[in-house]
Amino acid sequence: MKLLVIGYVWPEPKSSAAGSRMMQLLEVFRGQGWQVHFASPAQMTEHMADLSRIEIACHSIELNSASFDRFIQHLAPDIVVFDRFMMEEQFGWRVEKCLPSALRVLNTEDLHSLRDGRHQAVKEGREFELRDMHTPMAWREIAAIFRSDLTLMISDVEMTLLQNQFHVPATQLHYIPLMVEAQSSCHLPSFDERQHFITIGNFRHAPNWDAVLQLKQHLWPSIRKKLPKAELHIYGAYPPPKATQLHNAKDGFCVKGWVDDALQVMCQARILLAPLRFGAGIKGKLIDAMTVRTPSVTTPVGAEGISDDWPGAIAYDDQDFIEKAVALYQDSARWHQAQERGDALLASRFLASLHASALIEKLVMHHSQLNGLRGQHFMSSMLRHHSMKSTQYMSQWIEAKNQLSLKVDSPSTE
């Protein structure tokens, strides 16, 4: 089997949960012995993974260019995975035109429109409502889900939302969360060996930046007052000047920025704090914390798609967050109970052995039964007939405009 992933960005597993998720999928595909290619129109970055290490061929591709048609026809993959709905919009119609027999798979990472709707509700100081997803972003994203033969969902909560509220057929969705390997028996620091709090997250991701501001302005001053020797260490890729300017060692608010090994610093901390007010999917930092047995305090948004029986505490307002963070930091018995809940949760829901083979089985089955499955999905056919045309013609218009510009700018040969 030959598989092509078209990435919105080049994967950065040390920068974001999305990067880790993509690497997990790529390793599952390679573990099957498939020939795997990764292509992206994005600029390469300093933190991107070395895909050649796992024998994945990399290709730079262009937006709004017929050069992609020639590329995809020459490569001729059996399966094409679009990383996020924007890539399906850009390249889905071209794949369908050039390789109609290829299985088209959408990887959502999370529901962007759900995260965006929650963000809007937070900005307006009110509770999120389903109508907050009645937006152009949701129309685009859910249309891409309908157009795709299969969509990979990281959160079962979002799967339920898509099926119950937007009537996406179950046959077009597959649940595969962030995955972890079985835990080893290696020594991790004990309660007494650990100190301080940690929070971590890519600063370019709006929910993470909002969480840092919540800690700085509303939460940390009260926690620090109750625990005057404690510090909060803040890590994350791409910290802007507005973030580093928040650093105040005197108050124990320490902005550290990039760290090469997030798990190493996480296992030294006693508690991870994640006061997320909006977001979607499942939060990689919280899964990572469980793998190094670091209890966490988060919000219902943070815990969504993972568990209600939290390995730490779920807080429902600022005062609740402060009190639970302080109590968990000081209570050894409660802290060890949280560790045990995290161990059980990882083993029951997030082991790679539970999900990797199921994903391969679903892809192989869908590829072998592609015509029959497409025949069941009327909405998919309808949206490809109409919505596909607008993105196709816009892309071709931009391509023609670019070619005309090149002719005008080039010197005459006469």
Side-chain angles (χ1 to χ4, degrees), residues 112-341:
H112 293 54
S113 51
L114 176 60
R115 175 174 12 111
D116 187 65
R118 285 174 168 164
H119 192 183
Q120 187 61 37
V122 165
K123 288 189 285 189
E124 295 176 8
R126 58 176 177 78
E127 293 295 316
F128 168 78
E129 299 176 10
L130 187 62
R131 63 181 175 85
D132 292 316
M133 288 184 68
H134 293 188
T135 63
M137 180 181 285
W139 300 332
R140 291 170 56 199
E141 184 170 37
I142 295 171
I145 290 170
F146 271 110
R147 283 194 300 265
S148 301
D149 296 312
L150 187 68
T151 293
L152 308 182
M153 301 299 302
I154 205 167
S155 166
D156 52 2
V157 172
E158 293 179 0
M159 281 188 66
T160 300
L161 175 70
L162 288 172
Q163 291 179 70
N164 293 349
Q165 300 297 331
F166 299 102
H167 310 295
V168 177
T171 49
Q172 285 184 264
L173 301 173
H174 181 74
Y175 172 63
I176 178 164
L178 290 172
M179 296 177 286
V180 301
E181 298 298 330
Q183 290 180 282
S184 67
S185 57
C186 65
H187 172 75
L188 289 169
S190 66
F191 178 86
D192 291 327
E193 291 171 328
R194 299 184 188 221
Q195 60 180 342
H196 306 315
F197 294 87
I198 187 174
T199 191
I200 192 166
N202 191 315
F203 283 92
R204 291 178 176 174
H205 192 52
N208 293 334
W209 172 237
D210 180 76
V212 170
L213 292 179
Q214 290 301 303
L215 286 161
K216 178 69 173 180
Q217 298 167 1
H218 304 292
L219 303 171
W220 182 247
S222 296
I223 295 173
R224 172 77 168 187
K225 189 174 181 179
K226 294 174 183 290
L227 300 169
K229 294 183 179 180
E231 297 175 0
L232 173 60
H233 296 172
I234 301 153
Y235 294 93
Y238 304 108
K242 65 181 180 180
T244 55
Q245 288 166 7
L246 297 179
H247 177 86
N248 189 325
K250 178 173 168 287
D251 294 336
F253 195 87
C254 305
V255 180
K256 304 280 190 176
W258 168 263
V259 61
D260 192 59
D261 189 342
L263 296 180
Q264 179 60 34
V265 295
M266 199 176 284
C267 76
Q268 302 299 320
R270 190 174 290 178
I271 306 291
L272 180 134
L273 301 178
L276 296 162
R277 297 196 297 167
F278 62 96
I282 60 176
K283 315 307 177 291
K285 63 177 71 61
L286 297 171
I287 300 293
D288 286 345
M290 282 184 255
T291 65
V292 294
R293 310 195 79 212
T294 301
S296 57
V297 181
T298 190
T299 61
V301 168
E304 181 180 273
I306 300 177
S307 177
D308 294 326
D309 185 22
W310 195 252
I314 300 174
Y316 297 90
D317 57 44
D318 287 356
Q319 190 57 38
D320 192 33
F321 193 99
I322 293 163
E323 291 174 358
K324 287 176 175 176
V326 171
L328 188 58
Y329 192 85
Q330 295 177 312
D331 190 334
S332 173
R334 185 181 299 184
W335 190 86
H336 283 103
Q337 289 171 358
Q339 282 191 324
E340 292 171 2
R341 285 200 297 274

Side-chain angles (χ1 to χ4, degrees), residues 85-102:
F85 76 91
M86 297 79 83
M87 293 298 93
E88 190 281 336
E89 285 183 329
Q90 283 286 340
F91 297 104
W93 66 269
R94 291 184 182 275
V95 173
E96 182 176 21
K97 179 185 73 171
C98 299
L99 289 177
S101 63

